[in-house]
Amino acid sequence: MSRRRTDAGRHRFLDSARRRGGRSATDQAVASSAPHFTRYVIDGVDAAAPAGATVADALTFAEASTERMAMFFYPAPTDDEIEHLAEAWELHPLLVEDLVHAGQRPKLERYGEVLFLVVRSARYIDESEEVEFSGFHILVRGRAVAVLCQDHRWIDGTDGPAVTGERATTPDRRERTLLADQKLLRLGPEAVVYRLLDAIVDAYDPVLRGLGIDREQIERQVFSGDPAAAARIYHLSREAVDLQHATASMSDLVEALRAGLGKYGVPDDLRVYLQDVADHLSRLTVRAAELREALTQILTVNVTLVARRQNEDMKKISGWAAILFAPTLIAAIYGMNFDVMPELHWAFDYPVAVALMVAFAAALYLIFKRAKWM
């Protein structure tokens, strides 16, 4: 009775998730061309699952021995695939709702026997100077692990449906990262989690290098007086902030994962690997914070230089206004047309007035030139 009630609740959550903005019909059509892959691992050696094997069959295979493991890969998961996975794994309805919705920040949660992780990889697109993030949901239960590419992309940005033509018996780029080391695979599903975290953290390095190169280019722009530098600084600062949030969230996730290693009996060898990932991620987090601070300083310098250039322009404008004011004043005095003005009846009144105008203008120009206003 309770099992039926749980299933009914899970279906209600799936239905409500679809209504509140689940994948569009277009996304579903694209994803349907990218079926999931199942891999069987025996003592660190992986092989494709038998034809027609279901998720439940893979779980039964994995639970039969401590030397076995089942791995599920969803390059472009659909709601139907998530529902089948949820039924076979007996997932909590709240967990199912999280699986349906992408765009979450990195986190770690436990639902009974199921470990749930949300992680985000990053890659830098130099043409548009943008950091592209890809979300992954990881589920671990007993001797089984499932990896869902929520943005339909792998860590290197490869489109999931674009590489589905390869046979399931040949590990493609979605799986190669996780299946390359048989020694690690012997350590169980947690080793797969480590491999994925390690690959994601390693991918942050080229992103930071790309942002660092652009920062150097922006510095040259700022000091050359390029007016487009400010907009570029704001854009790059936003990307740096997003990357900093991603690395900080990943650090919290890795620390939470390490905190449960002893409680859940994770092998000591794997703890050393996770410590290496944590150290690497810590350095990346510091570098991301330094990059953001450097961009903030560049923005401050740019504002200062712009204000300085505007001040220099105002000096020149004020100087020329003063130079033009002197002849204007003389012309205004002698243009009042009063009868009692002796100079008006003098033979040299015009040449003297013009000479005074030129003399005043020249004197003011020399004064401003010496004061470096001109």
Side-chain angles (χ1 to χ4, degrees):
M1 181 68 179
S2 60
R3 172 67 181 276
R4 287 196 298 270
R5 187 179 297 111
T6 302
D7 290 342
R10 184 183 298 116
H11 287 297
R12 286 196 298 271
F13 270 100
L14 277 170
D15 292 339
S16 63
R18 294 186 184 114
R19 289 194 299 269
R20 286 180 292 167
R23 297 171 181 81
S24 65
T26 302
D27 290 340
Q28 292 285 354
V30 172
S32 64
S33 63
H36 76 275
F37 290 82
T38 302
R39 309 290 296 186
Y40 284 4
V41 179
I42 301 177
D43 194 26
V45 179
D46 75 282
T54 64
V55 176
D57 294 336
L59 284 177
T60 302
F61 163 83
E63 294 171 355
S65 172
T66 57
E67 295 183 351
R68 294 183 178 184
M69 179 173 60
M71 305 170 62
F72 307 90
F73 301 95
Y74 293 84
T78 64
D79 289 346
D80 289 338
E81 288 178 330
I82 292 175
E83 184 173 359
H84 294 156
L85 179 66
E87 291 176 352
W89 284 45
E90 299 181 358
L91 299 180
H92 192 280
L94 293 178
L95 175 53
V96 177
E97 186 177 19
D98 282 344
L99 292 177
V100 172
H101 290 283
Q104 302 168 353
R105 287 193 175 184
K107 65 178 182 179
L108 182 150
E109 295 176 344
R110 292 187 182 273
Y111 293 86
E113 299 178 353
V114 179
L115 172 66
F116 173 56
L117 298 95
V118 178
V119 296
R120 297 177 73 193
S121 68
R123 71 184 186 103
Y124 191 57
I125 304 176
D126 190 54
E127 293 78 9
S128 58
E129 295 185 352
E130 292 182 348
V131 180
E132 182 182 74
F133 294 95
S134 300
F136 298 88
H137 289 173
I138 307 174
L139 298 170
V140 178
R141 177 185 173 181
R143 302 292 300 176
V145 58
V147 179
L148 294 82
C149 305
Q150 286 299 315
D151 292 309
H152 302 174
R153 289 189 300 270
W154 191 235
I155 298 171
D156 60 357
T158 304
D159 184 46
V163 291
T164 55
E166 300 181 22
R167 294 184 302 120
T169 55
T170 304
D172 61 19
R173 69 182 65 200
R174 291 189 305 277
E175 303 171 64
R176 192 175 298 120
T177 302
L178 309 179
L179 304 177
D181 194 330
Q182 294 183 3
K183 180 180 178 181
L184 274 177
L185 288 180
R186 293 191 183 99
L187 299 179
E190 291 83 2
V192 178
V193 176
Y194 155 73
R195 290 290 299 179
L196 186 59
L197 292 178
D198 185 55
I200 289 175
V201 172
D202 287 343
Y204 286 147
D205 256 327
V207 174
L208 281 169
R209 286 198 299 269
L211 290 173
I213 293 173
D214 288 334
R215 177 186 62 81
E216 295 174 358
Q217 294 175 352
I218 288 177
E219 287 179 350
R220 290 193 289 269
Q221 270 187 283
V222 167
F223 289 106
S224 66
D226 188 347
R232 193 178 179 189
I233 294 172
Y234 281 116
H235 176 77
L236 205 64
S237 296
R238 184 185 62 189
E239 302 303 315
V241 169
D242 290 342
L243 182 62
Q244 184 183 16
H245 289 168
T247 55
S249 299
M250 283 289 290
S251 295
D252 294 339
L253 183 148
V254 171
E255 289 302 321
L257 189 62
R258 291 177 59 212
L261 293 181
K263 180 179 179 181
Y264 295 95
V266 176
D268 292 338
D269 292 342
L270 194 56
R271 301 186 191 187
V272 176
Y273 288 123
L274 285 175
Q275 176 63 46
D276 180 68
V277 173
D279 293 341
H280 190 188
L281 194 53
S282 177
R283 292 192 296 270
L284 291 173
T285 302
V286 172
R287 288 173 56 190
E290 291 175 347
L291 175 64
R292 181 180 178 183
E293 180 64 24
L295 289 172
T296 302
Q297 293 177 356
I298 293 173
L299 182 61
T300 302
V301 171
N302 183 66
V303 171
T304 302
L305 292 177
V306 170
R308 182 178 177 181
R309 287 193 292 268
Q310 290 177 344
N311 187 42
E312 293 296 327
D313 292 340
M314 287 303 300
K315 286 181 179 180
K316 292 180 180 180
I317 294 173
S318 300
W320 284 112
I323 291 172
L324 293 175
F325 174 74
T328 303
L329 177 62
I330 295 173
I333 292 175
Y334 288 101
M336 291 187 291
N337 296 324
F338 292 133
D339 290 333
V340 185
M341 291 185 71
E343 296 88 347
L344 296 179
H345 304 287
W346 187 29
F348 300 100
D349 54 354
Y350 176 74
V352 170
V354 173
L356 286 175
M357 294 179 186
V358 173
F360 275 122
L364 288 174
Y365 179 81
L366 292 175
I367 292 173
F368 292 140
K369 188 72 173 178
R370 181 172 298 179
K372 297 182 179 180
W373 278 35
M374 305 298 293

